[in-house]
Amino acid sequence: MADPSMLGNQYQHIRIDQGGKAQLGNTYNFPAPARPLPPSYQLGLNLEDAPQIDEQLFIGREDELARLHECLSPSTERQNMVAVSGLGGIGKTQLSLHFARQHHQRYSAVIWLNASSEVALKAAYMSLAQRIRRHNEQREAGQSEVIEQLKEEQAVHLVRQWLSQAENKTWLFIFDNYDDPRLPGVRSSTGYDIRTFFPYSTQGSILITTRSSRITFAKSVRLNKLDNLNQSLALLTKRSGRRAHEDVYAMKLAQRFDGLPLALATAGDYISHTADSFGEYLQMYEQSWTDLAENSDGLMEYDDRTLYSTWNLSLKQVAAQDPQAAKLFRLMGYLGNADLWYELFQKGAGSAPDWFCEITRSKARFNKAMATLHGYSLIEAMPGHYSLHTCVHDWVLEYLIGKIDIALFGLAIHCVARNVASDTMPEYWLVNSRLNHHALRIEHCYQREVFDWNVVDMGDIFNFGYLNYSIGRLKEAEAMYMRALKGYEKAWGMEHSLTLGTVNNLGLLYVDQGKMAESEAMYMRALKGKEKAWGAEHISTLDTVNNLAILYQEQGKIAKAEAMYMRALNGCKTASDMEHISTLDTVHNLAILYENQGKMAEAEAMYMWALKGYEKAWGMEHSLTLGTVNNLAVLYSKQGKYAETEKMYRQALDGYTNARCSCHSNTRLITRNLSLLRERKSAPTRG
């Protein structure tokens, strides 16, 4: 007997005969509808809409991959959510795709979605909803009808429902390029809240790539530059088809691009399609940036992005939220990229434009602007300072700014100039060394095109001269001093204090350049002008007398040097004069003179005078104090007083170390002298 369950439904026709009587006709059996199959959530790896990036081009990122593997485990009951953030071009998309290909077998479905805009994501959900319906309905027997077109809202709802099914918990969704968020505290007229696309139930795994560092509802994985030079060279090799590890210019190019994958990939791709070498590409990048940018195609896998346009979107979003922050970002193009801090800008406010005065009116306001820039990964924040990636820095100057903006460039000069420290200020060497990076950038800017220095304050130009002099860039210092001198002479005359101060500093500069005749001429001009303006015993006059004494000492004119030193000292009539820094400098220099003459007692007395004064004026760790301590150690060593020598050397070494000058040449010199002293003390005495 047949299985009743297989018979399906039985139907009989009713037939009416000629007499009008109803009779049963033939019997027909129709199969029962098939039982519905349970829904399937196995969609596999779905990356067809993602950028098609060759897996062989992927380099490094072991730590980040391990972090994703840990945070996106499908075996957990809770929902896993990770946001990979970083600068545009840092490799977020490639990391997410590599992770998907490596681990897709752990998930029931891996779906890549374009989250660059709400419109793009809705379109992706429309396509996905159709795919889900087609996948499930094709499993039913006899499926042949065309699936009706869904509306956007229906599609989003269907996908969110599908993601929320109790049996569907092991999927991975990749929301790529969510760079324009609209979240609490993040205002954006074009952005959207991606959470409206998440499942209704808190389950599954979600991976978001974004330039925004403000996504707080997901675990954060910050993607930074490639920190291994060999990885950068490997990427250049794979992209160019040439042996980058064997090319010195490839190494320079890798260092120049500082581990930014998009820059390295763009360079390698360009070289692979041309006859140019790594060295020629580097030369074009540094000398004709704009021309190279305009004639370089984007990478094949990114049809809408190049190295030169990738940061535009981020800056537009910053400008929409904080226009002053966007202006500040442009200003950074004229400054060094590695060390930016609040006071660098704040001291340049003064008569600056209103927008700049407002953004620097308090540290809190400044930090808010920098936080906005950091929120879109345009800058990095470290303890005590901020920085820009070198390629972003190049883009700001070459692309955003182009030709020099006189007002903005003048503001950059003013900011640096107002931070320059004189040698009478504590930690002046540290402060000016920190400014060196910015001075080099400004010099690079004004060498690119003709610049009218008449629009710059003469005081700023003088300070730049002093800055360059203090860090040993004598040629550049001379050029700045001469600009300042010309401006002061024209504005104030030959005998004005600003004019004479510049003349005096040129004299100091010429000594260091070995131009003794030019130095003496400058000192004599300054001395004559100061005597006429303020008298022979004015502290500024005596300062120039001291400088003349140093010059004569350098020339071996010992008698003339001593006479000048004594004139400077005899000019001090009051106790305050005796403790003035200029007086102490004279005393210190006179001690050196006596030491060279073998007058050890007189030298020691002068060193002790100078040391006591410096300690009172500047403290134990000022460079002038420590220099005097070091000289006392040398004096004691010549006298065979090794215990006193070691004590002075250690005091000087501790002072430089505490003053964070461990890289200073004086520190190395003292360390060497201590080593020599120990060798001398341990050497056997000759009989």
Side-chain angles (χ1 to χ4, degrees):
M1 184 176 179
D3 184 351
S5 66
M6 300 298 293
L7 294 178
N9 297 320
Q10 293 186 341
Y11 298 94
Q12 286 184 306
H13 289 161
I14 297 176
R15 189 173 66 249
I16 306 298
D17 60 17
Q18 292 180 348
K21 186 177 180 179
Q23 297 187 13
L24 292 176
N26 295 331
T27 299
Y28 298 91
N29 288 322
F30 292 93
R35 290 177 178 176
L37 296 173
S40 170
Y41 302 107
Q42 299 292 328
L43 293 186
L45 182 65
N46 295 265
L47 303 179
E48 57 267 24
D49 295 327
Q52 298 305 300
I53 304 174
D54 186 352
E55 271 291 279
Q56 299 300 315
L57 298 176
F58 187 81
I59 297 291
R61 304 301 194 189
E62 291 82 4
D63 292 343
E64 291 85 354
L65 288 168
R67 176 76 170 146
L68 293 181
H69 184 270
E70 174 189 353
C71 295
L72 294 173
S73 172
S75 61
T76 60
E77 289 298 318
R78 65 181 185 276
Q79 185 178 62
N80 305 308
M81 196 179 308
V82 175
V84 177
S85 63
L87 175 68
I90 205 70
K92 301 180 294 295
T93 296
Q94 196 168 6
L95 176 72
S96 68
L97 294 177
H98 184 75
F99 177 81
R101 292 189 178 102
Q102 269 196 330
H103 301 286
H104 68 90
Q105 292 181 346
R106 302 171 68 202
Y107 303 94
S108 58
V110 177
I111 311 291
W112 180 93
L113 300 160
N114 180 3
S116 61
S117 69
E118 189 171 23
V119 171
L121 189 52
K122 283 183 177 179
Y125 265 53
M126 285 277 290
S127 175
L128 180 58
Q130 297 289 76
R131 190 184 313 163
I132 291 171
R133 293 181 67 190
R134 187 176 297 111
H135 172 77
N136 287 329
E137 293 179 8
Q138 284 179 347
R139 299 177 69 248
E140 304 294 337
Q143 170 65 28
S144 61
E145 64 180 274
V146 177
I147 299 174
E148 63 176 311
Q149 185 67 34
L150 294 169
K151 295 180 179 180
E152 282 185 345
E153 293 76 9
Q154 292 175 313
V156 172
H157 175 67
L158 187 150
V159 173
R160 295 181 73 185
Q161 274 193 324
W162 182 80
L163 294 173
S164 303
Q165 296 300 311
E167 304 85 3
N168 186 21
K169 296 182 178 180
T170 58
W171 47 263
L172 170 65
F173 263 37
I174 301 173
F175 293 93
D176 196 23
N177 293 322
Y178 181 50
D179 299 326
D180 191 11
R182 186 167 63 202
L183 303 169
V186 181
R187 301 186 306 274
S188 173
S189 59
T190 58
Y192 68 101
D193 189 344
I194 199 172
R195 292 173 295 184
T196 60
F197 292 86
F198 289 174
Y200 299 112
S201 301
T202 55
Q203 61 189 44
S205 298
I206 294 173
L207 174 57
I208 302 169
T209 71
T210 177
R211 300 183 191 185
S212 175
S213 61
R214 295 188 172 187
I215 295 178
T216 58
F217 53 79
K219 292 181 180 178
S220 176
V221 173
R222 185 71 177 175
L223 197 60
N224 297 312
K225 63 186 180 182
L226 298 173
D227 56 4
N228 188 314
L229 183 62
N230 287 328
Q231 292 178 346
S232 294
L233 291 171
L235 185 53
L236 279 176
T237 295
K238 289 186 175 185
R239 284 285 185 172
S240 68
R242 305 183 191 180
R243 297 178 178 178
H245 286 85
E246 301 174 5
D247 192 307
V248 64
Y249 289 104
M251 186 169 297
K252 290 181 179 180
L253 188 62
Q255 291 170 336
R256 183 70 174 80
F257 288 161
D258 195 24
L260 184 65
L262 182 58
L264 295 162
T266 300
D269 193 66
Y270 180 94
I271 291 168
S272 73
H273 291 93
T274 68
D276 287 348
S277 65
F278 291 111
E280 288 170 321
Y281 185 91
L282 178 60
Q283 184 179 24
M284 284 190 292
Y285 181 88
E286 292 185 334
Q287 296 182 3
S288 51
W289 194 100
T290 303
D291 187 50
L292 179 62
E294 291 175 350
N295 291 284
S296 294
D297 295 326
L299 299 177
M300 292 292 291
E301 56 265 35
Y302 297 109
D303 58 357
D304 61 344
R305 181 167 32 143
T306 68
L307 173 64
Y308 316 109
S309 64
T310 188
W311 301 300
N312 274 330
L313 173 62
S314 298
L315 188 59
K316 287 179 181 177
Q317 291 163 348
V318 169
Q321 294 184 45
D322 189 344
Q324 294 163 346
K327 291 180 181 179
L328 183 66
F329 184 67
R330 291 174 181 268
L331 176 63
M332 294 175 195
Y334 292 123
L335 299 169
N337 69 306
D339 188 10
L340 301 158
W341 67 100
Y342 171 61
E343 290 77 13
L344 175 64
F345 298 94
Q346 186 270 333
K347 289 184 180 179
S351 58
D354 290 343
W355 71 266
F356 187 74
C357 293
E358 198 282 328
I359 209 170
T360 58
R361 61 180 167 80
S362 70
K363 195 169 187 179
R365 174 64 183 96
F366 174 79
N367 284 341
K368 180 182 179 182
M370 298 301 272
T372 302
L373 292 167
H374 180 261
Y376 289 95
S377 299
L378 289 172
I379 64 172
E380 290 295 326
M382 280 79 68
H385 69 280
Y386 300 92
S387 67
L388 288 76
H389 189 279
T390 181
C391 291
V392 177
H393 197 223
D394 294 336
W395 170 74
V396 175
L397 182 63
E398 302 289 350
Y399 180 85
L400 287 183
I401 297 175
K403 289 189 176 182
I404 284 182
D405 180 321
I406 294 177
L408 208 58
F409 186 49
L411 181 56
I413 293 173
H414 188 64
C415 287
V416 176
R418 293 301 163 181
N419 278 271
V420 175
S422 71
D423 60 5
T424 60
M425 298 173 63
E427 296 188 344
Y428 92 96
W429 188 87
L430 288 175
V431 172
N432 290 351
S433 295
R434 196 177 185 187
L435 294 173
N436 181 37
H437 188 51
H438 303 294
L440 289 173
R441 179 66 167 188
I442 286 172
E443 181 182 332
H444 167 74
C445 292
Y446 69 69
Q447 286 181 346
R448 293 168 71 237
E449 57 186 275
V450 177
F451 179 69
D452 183 9
W453 284 96
N454 291 321
V455 301
V456 179
D457 181 84
M458 289 300 108
D460 290 346
I461 296 175
F462 175 86
N463 283 357
F464 254 83
Y466 185 85
L467 172 62
N468 282 315
Y469 174 73
S470 68
I471 55 182
R473 304 181 69 241
L474 302 184
K475 181 180 178 181
E476 294 78 7
E478 182 180 8
M480 288 293 178
Y481 277 149
M482 292 305 295
R483 286 191 184 102
L485 179 60
K486 184 178 179 181
Y488 285 143
E489 288 176 340
K490 182 178 180 180
W492 305 111
M494 301 291 286
E495 296 179 354
H496 191 274
S497 60
L498 295 175
T499 305
L500 297 176
T502 308
V503 169
N504 180 79
N505 282 21
L506 274 167
L508 290 169
L509 174 72
Y510 289 143
V511 170
D512 288 350
Q513 290 180 321
K515 300 176 181 178
M516 301 304 182
E518 293 89 337
S519 176
E520 185 173 9
M522 286 293 169
Y523 284 148
M524 294 305 296
R525 175 183 168 183
L527 180 59
K528 183 178 179 180
K530 290 180 179 182
E531 287 175 335
K532 181 178 179 181
W534 302 312
E537 295 180 353
H538 189 275
I539 197 68
S540 180
T541 306
L542 298 178
D543 187 43
T544 301
V545 171
N546 174 71
N547 291 341
L548 264 171
I550 296 173
L551 173 65
Y552 292 144
Q553 188 173 346
E554 289 284 333
Q555 293 177 307
K557 301 175 181 178
I558 304 304
K560 294 183 71 173
E562 185 172 3
M564 283 292 175
Y565 283 139
M566 294 309 299
R567 174 184 167 182
L569 285 182
N570 291 334
C572 300
K573 300 299 184 182
T574 66
S576 60
D577 286 344
M578 299 296 283
E579 294 180 349
H580 195 279
I581 293 300
S582 295
T583 305
L584 297 175
D585 290 344
T586 299
V587 171
H588 181 272
N589 294 336
L590 188 56
I592 296 174
L593 181 72
Y594 286 150
E595 181 182 345
N596 292 337
Q597 290 179 309
K599 300 177 181 179
M600 299 305 184
E602 293 89 338
E604 183 177 1
M606 289 293 169
Y607 279 138
M608 294 304 296
W609 178 357
L611 179 59
K612 183 178 179 181
Y614 286 145
E615 287 178 344
K616 182 177 179 180
W618 303 120
M620 299 290 290
E621 295 175 0
H622 191 274
S623 59
L624 294 176
T625 307
L626 298 175
T628 307
V629 172
N630 177 74
N631 287 357
L632 265 171
V634 173
L635 179 71
Y636 289 143
S637 177
K638 290 179 180 179
Q639 293 175 300
K641 299 178 180 179
Y642 296 134
E644 293 87 341
T645 301
E646 184 171 2
K647 178 182 177 182
M648 289 291 113
Y649 275 144
R650 289 198 176 280
Q651 182 179 335
L653 184 60
D654 290 345
Y656 281 122
T657 303
N658 292 338
R660 295 173 293 155
C661 293
S662 58
C663 62
H664 195 286
S665 59
N666 286 350
T667 307
R668 295 192 293 269
L669 177 62
I670 293 170
T671 302
R672 177 176 175 274
N673 287 346
L674 265 173
S675 178
L676 292 174
L677 177 65
R678 294 191 194 99
E679 292 177 7
R680 187 180 304 171
K681 290 171 64 178
S682 62
T685 304
R686 293 183 180 180

